[in-house]
Amino acid sequence: MYRLFATTALVCAASFANAQDVSLRVLGQPVGSGLIQQQKEQPFFEDFAANAGMDVNVEYLPVDVAGIPDTDGMRVLRTGLFDIVSVRGPQVSRDEPTMLGLDLVGLNPDYASGKAHTDAFLPVVDAAVQQRFNAKLLGVWPAGPQVVFCKPDITGLADLEGLKVRVGDQSAAAFVAQFGATGVPLPFGEVQQSLARGVVDCAITGPSSANSAGWPEVTTTVLPIALQLAMNGYAMNLDSWNKLTEEQQGKVSGAIDSLVGEVWAYSEELYADAMNCNTGKEPCEHGTPYSLAAVEVSEADLKAVSDALVGSSLPAWTKQCNAVNESCEADWMATVGAKLGL
């Protein structure tokens, strides 16, 4: 009887210790990227124990506060330096090009398209991330429609000829090249100064992120045509994931699912409000009012974005992606391509 009691006590003590000893380091979105980070992501992780319903200690650091380039998200995951990384899809696609298949230029003209295509291709991306970076992709969400901000006045995409345009990924670089522009990859935190100093003439991002980062202070014009949705996501180092019990894994997954769902809705809400703020219109509830000129989007420009999927972004991406993931193009065609009837 004594041995049974002692064994039971030891098992209970070990279980209690395991429950109390869960700690997670989380690398987040840049503070300067805007309200999704400030109003959704950071509060969620700072109160993660309550949101997940589990005993866990979380240390949350935005990537710019940590002093880590946002292009290094996948490499940070592989090292295990952080357990969970808020991955910036366009920026890390150079390391893991399969990620870009979620959001090629011309693929997602609206949120509904983005959700359908993301759901279709996410298992393929997760498999690639697990194989190459020892990480599990827990969910993805859109920063918002990516539009063009320019320091010189422009009237449409044709006016990008000869200009230097900050792009987030290779798909956008291939697209602007069609108009005689040079795509320049820059970390988000460097863009405002680069626009001010003339390092780049234009830059692509979402209206809310641009507003938070002060881009309208150094630009004159916004072309509100959705090139991409800028898919970001949450990934967890597999060694960290496998240390959790099955119950804990379920709680982490469930909590992240809830956050991702909230961000999808919040992103759409922010887009309309930020466009108003950037162009001096009301209501402007979440941002700083500015007075950018908004270019009327022409049918020709809309067609150029739509045609870009098959004409430039898909061929450029598949060549790069197949080089590191030989089934990449076939997997995309069997999922997203099938939805599009390609």
Side-chain angles (χ1 to χ4, degrees), residues 1-50:
M1 179 66 71
Y2 172 78
R3 288 179 180 175
L4 176 62
F5 176 80
T7 301
T8 303
L10 286 171
V11 169
C12 290
S15 298
F16 179 79
N18 287 339
Q20 294 296 318
D21 288 343
V22 177
S23 60
L24 299 172
R25 299 192 75 213
V26 180
L27 186 67
Q29 294 284 306
V31 173
S33 64
L35 294 173
I36 291 175
Q37 185 277 334
Q38 297 162 20
Q39 299 298 318
K40 294 295 180 182
E41 180 180 280
Q42 185 162 347
F44 169 84
F45 281 110
E46 287 180 342
D47 201 19
F48 188 76

Side-chain angles (χ1 to χ4, degrees), residues 73 80 116 124 277 332:
V124 176
C277 293
W332 191 92

Side-chain angles (χ1 to χ4, degrees), residues 131-168:
Q131 180 179 357
R132 300 187 65 236
F133 291 94
N134 191 43
K136 177 180 179 60
L137 194 56
L138 298 174
V140 297
W141 49 269
Q146 301 293 283
V147 301
V148 185
F149 294 83
C150 283
K151 192 171 184 179
D153 293 337
I154 65 168
T155 60
L157 292 171
D159 291 340
L160 296 179
E161 184 175 3
L163 301 183
K164 292 169 290 187
V165 182
R166 181 265 181 175
V167 296

Side-chain angles (χ1 to χ4, degrees), residues 21-26 54 56 76-85 133-136 138 235-246 248-249 252:
D21 288 343
V22 177
S23 60
L24 299 172
R25 299 192 75 213
V26 180
M54 60 185 286
V56 57
V76 169
L77 272 169
R78 185 161 52 193
T79 66
L81 180 63
F82 286 82
D83 303 290
I84 297 175
V85 174
F133 291 94
N134 191 43
K136 177 180 179 60
L138 298 174
M236 187 168 184
N237 178 276
L238 273 177
D239 294 337
S240 301
W241 173 260
N242 290 330
K243 288 178 184 176
L244 300 177
T245 66
E246 186 174 342
Q248 290 168 338
Q249 289 175 351
V252 170

Side-chain angles (χ1 to χ4, degrees), residues 6 49 66 111 135 164 176 188 253 267 314 324:
Y111 282 87
K164 292 169 290 187
V176 299
F188 184 84
S253 293
S267 174
L314 181 57
V324 298

